[in-house]
Amino acid sequence: MCGIVGYIGNRQAAPLLLEGLSRLEYRGYDSAGICVANGELHVEKAKGRLQNLAEKTQNGALLPGTLGIGHTRWATHGQPNDVNSHPHLSENGKVAIVHNGIIENYLELREYLEAKGIRFTSETDSEVVAQLLEVCMQETGTVMDALYMVLHRISGAYALGIISADEPDVMYAARKDAPLLIGFGAGENFIASDVTALVRHTRDVVYLEDGEVAAVSRGGVQIYNAMGQPIEKEHHHIDWEISAAEKGGYEHFMLKEIMEEPEALRRAISPRIREGRVVFDGMQMDLSGYARIMIIACGSSYHVGMVGKYNIEKLCRIPVEVILASEFRYCDPIIDEKTLAVVISQSGETLDTMAALREAKRRGAKILSIVNVVGSSIARESDEVIYTYAGPEIAVATTKAYSTQMAVLDLLAIHLAGLRGTIDEAQYRSFVDAAARIPEQVSEILNDRDRIQYYASLYFNHDSVFFIGRNLDYALGLEGSLKLKEISYIHSEAYASGELKHGTISLIEPGTLVVALGTYTPLFEKAMSNVIEVKARGANVLALTTASNCAEMEKRVDAILSIPDTELPLLPLLGVVPLQLFAYYVALQRGCDIDKPRNLAKSVTVE
Ligand code: G6P
């Protein structure tokens, strides 16, 4: 979604802003713009890819100056075009703002400002912030005082970057419900909505909290709380390597990130297994007393939750409800002190998930989150966090982050089952040993990717695909299907195989591609029956099963992929890898923009 970068220092701001914005491209956007202060404020914007803005400004050379803000916009209010993209100037051209989030009362504010004679140029909600600042500055004289007035009048979510022609030595930042951080350099400082924009220049960052405001100058940064009092904040050190956010010879980030899965899984799993036991170092939360678990998430993280439901219920005998964060927010959920809310989010910033977390907390639930981005909002607001250590994920379609979320949730299920005594010691040991072998087994699957690419070349032309499976294979199918549709634009659906006869089978006709998932050994026979049913109606079947059932399945299907055998709860950790690769190679064959699929964003920070 939208991205913010701001710079103040002694170097030329525009090239740095363009470079920072290019690091945020992965989040998804449809236009971009920068504003540089040089006596006056100079703005350039361009619809479409950042390259257009770079060309328009001769890589920033046409906008000289050492203070500036930049933005990549993912349109919500108003078309993606040069007028609606940010930065927005106030009518007198003295104030420029970039904004992530949504100003909910913008219509009312716009009417108020228009009644005062202010003329708006865009259709956006964001422009009211620039215009209101100008009006308030007439009263206060300073940006800082005007900013506090504005923050009291706007409602909604915002990360704001602000510069003014009247104050050439300071850049302002403010945050509520949208991520924003300050990067500290030597004689220069930055703001950004995402640490990837800054990591080439500094690893010393401070995350702003809701209600906080920062005045960022060349020599220092002062942060204020919602009451305007100066505060000190903890600094964080970013310790991942820059190369982690670069393609490193791969054609796409997505393939690179799939290939990184063994390493990412090792980072997620190995520190949590010691002497044959699952350990979560530093965990304060007592997990033993809960009678019920609610898993709350969006997108692929929700699919991880589906796997978690099957596993936790089976191993721990606790009822688990998995609920989409966007539904949870408004469904008046029934929660008591015996409910543990497990919140799953790669980015830790998804707006619906964040809102659901707060709602669960408000109703008395304790929050355990599974998050990839260290220091993100969800991590900070949870009672307990388990980090997935997947490293930065740039491709919009998640792969290694999904896998590491699942690994962590599997370990949690094993740990909880151990605590509750719902599995015996032999089973416990066997699950832990199997978990430790997962990274190696994922490497084996990756070594066989040529076969998956070959099948992709056979099937890439289909218009519609059905994924079918039962139990853990159903949960796996949801993710396999989502991966395929989001990057290849093929219509794809996942069904619980038992539901086929209740409707979906009417869509199966000669040549329809069905991806039949039959990795869950206890229901392998049932999976075979469903394969036979769809074959009888002329479907082309690509099956996925385990090594030990491969020969049996192969007799019945058109194409087969297999994964190494492992303990049942861990099967989806292996099963998802061929499905990710299949989606990738199909999209490649179709010439799609794999890392930045149309209309999608990496981190969804609007409702
Ligand atoms: C977006 C991403 C998905 C992700 C979902 C939830 O839709 O494209 O890959 O699963 O958001 O994101 P989160 O960061 O909360 O896991």
Side-chain angles (χ1 to χ4, degrees):
M1 295 235 138
C2 303
I4 289 177
V5 187
Y7 174 79
I8 182 162
N10 298 309
R11 294 191 274 167
Q12 287 300 301
L16 288 168
L17 296 174
L18 288 170
E19 189 246 358
L21 292 178
S22 74
R23 309 291 167 191
L24 300 181
E25 277 191 294
Y26 77 96
R27 298 171 62 93
Y29 70 105
D30 39 44
S31 57
I34 55 175
C35 174
V36 177
N38 193 7
E40 293 178 348
L41 299 180
H42 299 279
V43 177
E44 274 302 344
K45 307 177 185 185
K47 188 182 164 190
R49 285 287 140 96
L50 196 56
Q51 188 54 30
N52 302 344
L53 183 63
E55 279 164 20
K56 214 167 169 184
T57 60
Q58 292 179 7
N59 290 321
L62 296 182
L63 292 182
T66 56
L67 164 64
I69 48 179
H71 191 262
T72 44
R73 173 172 186 256
W74 191 88
T76 54
H77 294 63
Q79 295 281 314
N81 59 29
D82 288 6
V83 177
N84 289 332
S85 46
H86 303 212
H88 290 290
L89 284 177
S90 65
E91 195 180 18
N92 67 7
K94 295 276 192 184
V95 182
I97 67 108
V98 285
H99 167 228
N100 287 356
I102 290 181
I103 306 299
E104 283 166 0
N105 58 342
Y106 81 102
L107 281 175
E108 172 198 314
L109 291 170
R110 189 170 170 137
E111 272 171 32
Y112 161 79
L113 291 162
E114 281 173 342
K116 282 182 165 291
I118 300 282
R119 277 166 310 180
F120 278 74
T121 51
S122 78
E123 303 159 79
T124 65
D125 55 324
S126 307
E127 192 184 344
V128 294
V129 177
Q131 305 292 16
L132 195 55
L133 269 169
E134 178 186 312
V135 168
C136 293
M137 276 172 73
Q138 286 158 9
E139 243 178 81
T140 64
T142 66
V143 177
M144 182 60 120
D145 292 336
L147 179 56
Y148 271 95
M149 283 178 78
V150 169
L151 298 182
H152 281 114
R153 294 205 56 176
I154 57 177
S155 57
Y158 51 80
L160 288 167
I162 299 156
I163 58 175
S164 163
D166 291 343
E167 298 186 22
D169 298 317
V170 59
M171 163 171 67
Y172 294 92
R175 147 187 183 140
K176 180 173 162 278
D177 293 341
L180 195 60
L181 53 103
I182 316 284
F184 292 75
E188 59 183 11
N189 291 304
F190 303 79
I191 61 169
S193 52
D194 180 329
V195 75
T196 30
L198 303 185
V199 81
R200 259 146 217 88
H201 307 290
T202 178
R203 286 159 176 277
D204 179 12
V205 303
V206 160
Y207 296 95
L208 289 186
E209 305 284 339
D210 283 354
E212 290 175 354
V213 168
V216 183
S217 56
R218 289 178 179 82
V221 177
Q222 181 59 62
I223 301 173
Y224 301 88
N225 64 15
M227 271 83 71
Q229 295 153 333
I231 51 169
E232 292 298 322
K233 300 266 303 174
E234 186 194 346
H235 285 232
H236 291 260
H237 180 74
I238 307 302
D239 56 6
W240 46 263
E241 289 305 316
I242 292 168
S243 60
E246 287 173 350
K247 279 191 204 152
Y250 287 96
E251 198 177 340
H252 295 100
F253 277 111
M254 183 175 176
L255 183 60
K256 176 184 177 239
E257 287 159 4
I258 294 173
M259 297 304 287
E260 284 172 349
E261 282 181 298
E263 210 30 59
L265 284 164
R266 214 163 271 130
R267 283 197 300 272
I269 296 171
S270 356
R272 274 125 192 185
I273 296 182
R274 222 172 291 138
E275 292 164 15
R277 317 296 309 170
V278 176
V279 281
F280 290 104
D281 280 333
M283 184 180 282
Q284 307 278 323
M285 188 180 260
D286 175 8
L287 292 173
S288 55
Y290 294 102
R292 178 166 163 261
I293 293 177
M294 272 188 144
I295 302 181
I296 305 167
C298 299
S300 295
S301 299
Y302 170 78
H303 296 159
V304 169
M306 289 290 288
V307 171
K309 173 183 166 69
Y310 285 112
N311 281 338
I312 297 171
E313 288 191 338
K314 181 132 181 83
L315 303 190
C316 313
R317 310 310 299 155
I318 307 179
V320 179
E321 189 179 342
V322 197
I323 182 157
L324 292 163
S326 50
E327 289 297 311
F328 179 92
R329 293 179 69 173
Y330 303 115
C331 76
D332 200 3
I334 301 165
I335 285 176
D336 58 25
E337 71 286 358
K338 292 270 178 208
T339 308
L340 174 65
V342 176
V343 173
I344 309 178
S345 175
Q346 185 282 128
S347 61
E349 302 293 353
T350 303
L351 188 88
D352 279 324
T353 311
M354 187 68 217
L357 178 158
R358 288 181 180 161
E359 182 61 18
K361 225 176 177 180
R362 202 179 61 78
R363 289 172 184 253
K366 282 273 178 270
I367 314 289
L368 168 63
S369 65
I370 298 177
V371 172
N372 189 35
V373 178
V374 176
S376 55
S377 306
I378 289 175
R380 282 177 289 141
E381 293 202 18
S382 300
D383 297 295
E384 194 72 63
V385 189
I386 309 179
Y387 284 113
T388 53
Y389 303 140
E393 193 179 63
I394 307 295
V396 165
T398 178
T399 52
K400 63 175 180 172
Y402 167 91
S403 294
T404 52
Q405 286 170 339
M406 198 193 295
V408 163
L409 198 54
D410 287 344
L411 291 177
L412 191 67
I414 298 167
H415 178 59
L416 210 52
L419 285 181
R420 293 170 63 88
T422 43
I423 54 174
D424 63 30
E425 183 60 19
Q427 258 182 326
Y428 181 94
R429 290 256 167 198
S430 175
F431 288 158
V432 172
D433 291 350
R437 285 196 302 275
I438 289 290
E440 199 48 50
Q441 291 180 310
V442 168
S443 294
E444 274 175 50
I445 299 169
L446 294 174
N447 289 340
D448 199 25
R449 61 188 183 283
D450 288 352
R451 176 202 298 266
I452 302 170
Q453 184 163 21
Y454 169 68
Y455 288 149
S457 74
L458 296 183
Y459 296 126
F460 77 95
N461 256 334
H462 283 260
D463 295 331
S464 174
V465 178
F466 298 96
F467 284 71
I468 57 170
R470 288 170 192 263
N471 198 279
L472 285 174
D473 282 328
Y474 169 51
L476 177 61
L478 292 171
E479 179 61 7
S481 167
L482 178 67
K483 273 309 72 115
L484 185 68
K485 82 173 81 157
E486 64 184 344
I487 59 168
S488 73
Y489 314 143
I490 296 177
H491 172 251
S492 163
E493 299 294 338
Y495 290 96
S497 307
E499 281 295 292
L500 263 183
K501 290 196 204 61
H502 299 292
T504 313
I505 203 156
S506 68
L507 297 172
I508 309 287
E509 53 184 12
T512 305
L513 179 61
V514 174
V515 179
L517 305 174
T519 69
Y520 188 63
T521 330
L523 297 176
F524 179 72
E525 292 309 322
K526 303 268 177 208
M528 284 290 278
S529 311
N530 292 120
V531 163
I532 292 164
E533 267 165 23
V534 294
K535 280 300 299 170
R537 279 137 187 106
N540 268 332
V541 176
L542 166 63
L544 176 72
T545 188
T546 52
S548 55
N549 283 327
C550 192
E552 185 64 18
M553 181 70 102
E554 199 167 11
K555 295 180 205 151
R556 300 286 188 178
V557 298
D558 301 280
I560 189 147
L561 294 168
S562 73
I563 54 171
D565 288 285
T566 183
E567 289 290 347
L568 296 178
L570 306 177
L571 282 164
L573 264 180
L574 300 181
V576 75
V577 181
L579 301 184
Q580 292 167 342
L581 283 168
F582 182 69
Y584 172 77
Y585 286 122
V586 166
L588 187 67
Q589 195 91 30
R590 291 166 71 94
C592 298
D593 190 355
I594 294 181
D595 286 337
K596 300 185 206 89
R598 69 183 176 211
N599 303 337
L600 295 180
K602 181 75 186 158
S603 167
V604 179
T605 48
V606 293
E607 191 171 352

